[in-house]
Amino acid sequence: MPPRKINRRTLPIFDPVVAASLEDIEPDLQALYGELRLQRTDVVGEMEKQASLYAWWAVLLAEAEFDVDRAERSLKLHVAERDIALRRGGDKKPSEKAIENIIAHEEEYDVLRGAFMSARRTAGILKYIVRSLEHRREAIVGLNMRDMKEWQSSA
């Protein structure tokens, strides 16, 4: 049985036509469960599938972590720019707490914070998917060793 190719068109969780970026990924947990579930009767097929699955999800995780960094940088830059503008803005110097409160109640800050939180959530989900693939690999190795022992004892 040839290894199943994993690409964006065959993956039930990510549709590039619908998803403009990683923050649009909303994993279908049933499809994900099916994707990660082991077929104990086809250990060789599972070994072949594992590498491509891991590579695919690890790349998505790397992209998501990049998005987190970019969103965090945008948020920090906005806060710094607004902080400077508020400090220069008037005769009366606002306190640190007052500046934090003013910035926290601005719409642009709220949008940037939401983008950062969404990117962090996506990266978190992908991190656990990659971690589950590592556990899946260990299970495949264990199944393969069990099958080899059975084969050796029957010979």
Side-chain angles (χ1 to χ4, degrees):
M1 180 172 152
R4 193 181 97 189
K5 287 190 175 184
I6 304 296
N7 63 44
R8 289 182 178 200
R9 297 195 202 313
T10 61
L11 225 119
I13 295 145
F14 182 75
D15 183 355
V17 175
V18 176
S21 69
L22 284 173
E23 65 189 34
D24 294 328
I25 294 175
E26 194 59 43
D28 174 358
L29 296 180
Q30 289 291 31
L32 182 59
Y33 176 73
E35 203 59 42
L36 298 177
R37 190 170 181 193
L38 280 174
Q39 297 298 324
R40 294 172 188 260
T41 57
D42 185 19
V43 176
V44 174
E46 292 297 324
M47 290 173 69
E48 292 171 347
K49 184 171 121 176
Q50 175 67 22
S52 60
L53 268 177
Y54 187 88
W56 173 252
W57 289 104
V59 167
L60 285 179
L61 174 60
E63 289 292 325
E65 288 174 343
F66 177 78
D67 284 352
V68 169
D69 291 343
R70 187 173 46 205
E72 184 178 25
R73 189 179 66 241
S74 295
L75 182 63
K76 286 181 177 180
L77 181 63
H78 172 74
V79 168
E81 288 172 349
R82 289 299 296 139
D83 186 274
I84 291 170
L86 290 169
R87 288 181 193 280
R88 289 185 184 162
D91 297 334
K92 196 174 181 184
K93 287 187 174 182
S95 67
E96 288 291 323
K97 192 66 175 168
I99 290 173
E100 287 176 15
N101 287 334
I102 291 168
I103 294 171
H105 287 88
E106 292 177 344
E107 185 176 342
E108 187 175 356
Y109 174 83
D110 198 37
V111 168
L112 290 171
R113 178 133 171 87
F116 170 65
M117 291 173 65
S118 177
R120 194 167 63 183
R121 176 182 176 271
T122 299
I125 290 170
L126 291 171
K127 182 168 50 170
Y128 286 111
I129 290 171
V130 168
R131 188 176 295 164
S132 72
L133 284 166
E134 291 166 357
H135 292 292
R136 184 180 190 276
R137 183 196 69 224
E138 291 170 11
I140 291 170
V141 169
L143 287 172
N144 190 39
M145 291 186 68
R146 180 202 66 187
D147 289 352
M148 288 180 66
K149 284 180 183 178
E150 287 178 6
W151 179 75
Q152 287 175 348
S153 67
S154 67

